[in-house]
Amino acid sequence: MNQAQARVLVVDDTPTKLYILSSWLRRAGHEVLQATGGVEALAKVRELRPDLVVLDVRLPDISGHEVCEQIKADPVTASIPVVQISGAAITPADRAHGLERGADAYLAEPVEPDEFAATVEATLRYYRARQRAERIAERLAALTEVTLAMNSADTFDELLVTAVEGTSRILGRQAGALALPPDGRVRRYTALPPGSAVSRNVTATTLPALDAMSLGNAAGTRVFTVLASDWLRLIPDADLKGDVRGVLCRTKGGRPPVFLGVEATPELGQDESNVLRQLGQALALALDALRAYAEEHAIALTLQRSLLPARIPEVPGLEISWRYQPAVDNVEVGGDFYEVLRLGERVLIAIGDVQGHSLLAATVMAELRHALRASLIGTVDLGASMGLLNDVLRRYHPGMTATVCLTLIDPATGCMEVANAGHIPPLLIGDGRARYDRLGNLLLGVAEETYRVDRLVVPEGGAVLMFTDGLVEDRDKLLDESLEIVRQLADTVEDDLELFCERLIRRFGAREDDVALVVFRRGTE
């Protein structure tokens, strides 16, 4: 007895034989399609996609061998099994020829009903096993692709959209997901194949209710069915044709669960349920990873900002603006810093960058800031201060390097001193043009060095821009090109320095490295 009904195309130009073969197939419970020629058979194969073709070798238009070859040559129909029957070509050589040209089985007349039925069932059994294996392979490939895309998502919404659209596409039915990101607002997305996911409203009680139906606050994975009536009570605006089959996952106790579900009509097979389970587990793990990244990033930013000046002092005759922009994709703390200190009538403005992104880099940055402040108690000597920073780095953090630029300006006179340890030179803006100061000495932490102090005058209304290399370093562009872009942008400085800073940041966009910049302008009488 056959395991399930199949659609079988019988191709024969002899009415009696066509009737007999069709009767045997119908008696076995199969749906029968008929054709009396090769051209007609090929058209029906392409249009109706039968599960099996029973094909006479000798046909009035083209031979059964040629029909079989064309079926097997088309990638769309190549997997459809073909059983050839012949009353004339019955020798072993004929059978071998038929099999060589693509037939999956070959019967020589006269054919007994039992032999015919057994051959059909065996061929269908192999065909269905092959179909199942191909479906599993396709779904596993799609599952891998969707899992990779989920782990590449940058935001929680992007992750949920990827999961819902991927589930809908793989299982060929409406899919939806519910999750609770760290911002405390439950997200709900749904998708119909092959469309895009849509965000929908959902109450905060829906996810806990689904949790109560399955895991009950425990960690783990549970695949379960929610009746349509229960689902509509939870989500009244749902567009359903039946029950919902879903998976609820929680990676660890105390964490919010995530739900991924699909329409349960038609009923999911075991393979489809397994795919749904794997997708749900992949989504839960990706959400946890993204949540951990977001939390670590927030902690890193908090720590970074706590190591920078809490406020910039107001200085008569000097307008100061600054920016600190963390790297867009780096969860670790960076070593970029700036400092503004009033020293009597003068103001020290410093900027620097300790190598690397790590807690160590941030710690060294904080030590250098404190050492700089200590060096400025009493006599102020930028060369001596820079030498002290170099000694601190070489003695206590061998192998670490840093770039630092110190400026000391008297707003009343415009007299300014500059000491530079390997940093990008300050950009001097005034008299209708912008130019970089000359290069400084060796960066900190490399070797013993005597640091030169340059002296220059900032005119009334003149400005000075200092920034770290994170603003201008790009993998696909020379540093000199980016520095020239900054210089050209500084040819015109807005009356409001805040707007100038915003224009600089906006021009270079999101960066792979931290960015610190300080711009100050001397007032006019």
Side-chain angles (χ1 to χ4, degrees):
M1 197 68 176
N2 67 312
Q3 294 179 347
Q5 183 188 60
R7 175 183 284 187
V8 183
L9 174 63
V10 181
V11 187
D12 203 302
D13 62 326
T14 304
T16 302
K17 184 177 170 186
L18 186 65
Y19 172 78
I20 292 173
L21 294 175
S22 299
S23 298
W24 289 348
L25 289 166
R26 290 190 183 99
R27 192 180 310 154
H30 300 300
E31 176 188 353
V32 177
L33 309 171
Q34 294 181 337
T36 57
V39 174
E40 180 187 4
L42 288 171
K44 288 190 173 181
V45 167
R46 295 189 186 99
E47 178 185 357
L48 302 175
R49 305 282 175 82
D51 299 312
L52 174 70
V53 177
V54 177
L55 179 64
D56 187 22
V57 172
R58 295 191 175 180
L59 296 171
D61 44 7
I62 56 177
S63 74
H65 293 314
E66 187 174 344
V67 172
C68 183
E69 284 182 331
Q70 290 194 37
I71 291 173
K72 297 299 183 178
D74 187 343
V76 176
T77 60
S79 63
I80 298 176
V82 176
V83 176
Q84 287 190 339
I85 297 182
S86 178
I90 59 175
T91 67
D94 292 328
R95 292 191 182 94
H97 182 65
L99 295 172
E100 287 172 354
R101 297 189 67 175
D104 295 276
Y106 195 101
L107 293 173
E109 297 183 54
V111 180
E112 294 296 324
D114 290 344
E115 180 187 9
F116 178 73
T119 301
V120 166
E121 293 307 320
T123 306
L124 283 172
R125 196 161 51 242
Y126 170 78
Y127 169 65
R128 286 166 176 154
R130 178 178 173 178
Q131 274 189 320
R132 179 173 180 268
E134 289 175 349
R135 281 197 304 270
I136 291 174
E138 288 174 0
R139 283 174 176 162
L140 288 176
L143 176 63
T144 301
E145 180 183 340
V146 172
T147 301
L148 179 61
M150 284 194 288
N151 285 295
S152 300
D154 294 323
T155 67
F156 290 95
D157 290 281
E158 181 186 347
L159 171 55
L160 291 171
V161 166
T162 301
V164 170
E165 291 178 352
T167 303
S168 177
R169 184 174 67 254
I170 293 173
L171 297 179
R173 56 185 77 204
Q174 182 177 189
L178 293 98
L180 180 64
D183 63 8
R185 183 171 62 87
V186 179
R187 306 290 205 280
R188 173 190 167 212
Y189 282 93
T190 63
L192 278 167
S196 300
V198 178
S199 175
R200 299 189 180 277
N201 293 328
V202 64
T203 64
T205 59
T206 304
L207 200 53
L210 291 169
D211 191 17
M213 294 179 186
S214 52
L215 290 175
N217 293 322
T221 302
R222 182 69 55 83
V223 179
F224 62 106
T225 299
V226 183
L227 298 177
S229 56
D230 293 334
W231 187 263
L232 290 173
R233 276 196 296 271
L234 293 172
I235 305 178
D237 67 342
D239 182 16
L240 283 179
K241 298 177 182 177
D243 300 338
V244 172
R245 186 72 169 167
V247 54
L248 191 124
C249 300
R250 178 184 283 109
T251 56
K252 291 183 179 180
R255 293 186 179 177
V258 58
F259 177 84
L260 182 65
V262 295
E263 281 189 313
T265 305
E267 184 179 355
L268 275 73
Q270 185 61 44
D271 293 336
E272 293 173 312
S273 291
N274 287 336
V275 169
L276 179 61
R277 173 189 289 271
Q278 289 176 292
L279 283 166
Q281 290 171 331
L283 174 58
L285 291 172
L287 274 168
D288 268 7
L290 196 56
R291 183 181 288 111
Y293 178 87
E295 291 171 352
E296 289 176 16
H297 194 56
I299 292 170
L301 287 180
T302 301
L303 176 59
Q304 179 80 42
R305 297 188 187 281
S306 71
L307 297 174
L308 294 172
R311 56 181 295 274
I312 297 296
E314 294 184 5
V315 181
L318 199 66
E319 182 185 357
I320 305 173
S321 185
W322 71 97
R323 287 291 184 277
Y324 173 77
Q325 178 175 287
V328 65
D329 288 327
N330 205 319
V331 72
E332 294 186 308
V333 185
D336 291 37
F337 70 94
Y338 59 89
E339 184 68 270
V340 179
L341 298 172
R342 290 194 65 174
L343 302 173
E345 299 300 320
R346 296 184 294 177
V347 181
L348 180 120
I349 301 173
I351 197 162
D353 184 4
V354 177
Q355 73 173 76
H357 273 83
S358 65
L359 186 57
L360 175 60
T363 302
V364 173
M365 175 263 282
E367 287 185 30
L368 291 180
R369 281 187 61 227
H370 293 315
L372 173 61
R373 289 187 170 202
S375 74
L376 298 171
I377 297 174
T379 303
V380 177
D381 182 337
L382 296 191
S385 293
M386 198 72 85
L388 175 64
L389 299 184
N390 189 38
D391 291 341
V392 168
L393 201 56
R394 293 177 61 211
R395 174 174 295 185
Y396 299 111
H397 301 285
M400 294 286 289
T401 60
T403 64
V404 174
C405 184
L406 306 177
T407 62
L408 181 66
I409 184 171
D410 184 340
T413 64
C415 293
M416 183 171 75
E417 298 179 1
V418 179
N420 190 345
H423 200 81
I424 294 173
L427 184 60
L428 311 174
I429 308 165
D431 300 326
R433 67 191 185 101
R435 65 177 180 85
Y436 287 100
D437 190 25
R438 61 173 174 163
L439 295 174
N441 296 105
L442 194 64
L443 72 167
L444 304 179
V446 176
E448 186 176 348
E449 177 76 316
T450 300
Y451 291 93
R452 184 186 71 245
V453 178
D454 295 331
R455 290 172 175 81
L456 46 90
V457 176
V458 178
E460 290 186 358
V464 178
L465 172 64
M466 305 164 68
F467 54 90
T468 56
D469 57 8
L471 177 68
V472 292
E473 275 194 341
D474 287 300
R475 299 179 184 180
D476 57 350
K477 185 177 295 185
L478 294 174
L479 180 60
D480 286 348
E481 294 179 19
S482 297
L483 290 174
E484 176 59 19
I485 292 174
V486 176
R487 193 199 65 76
Q488 292 177 7
L489 290 171
D491 277 339
T492 302
V493 178
E494 287 82 349
D495 292 338
D496 185 348
L497 290 184
E498 291 292 312
L499 296 178
F500 176 61
C501 291
E502 288 299 323
R503 182 158 59 90
L504 281 176
I505 294 293
R506 187 170 59 251
R507 169 59 181 80
F508 287 95
R511 310 303 296 164
E512 295 181 358
D513 195 3
D514 296 346
V515 175
L517 68 86
V518 179
V519 59
F520 55 94
R521 179 166 54 198
R522 187 179 171 216
T524 57
E525 293 183 359

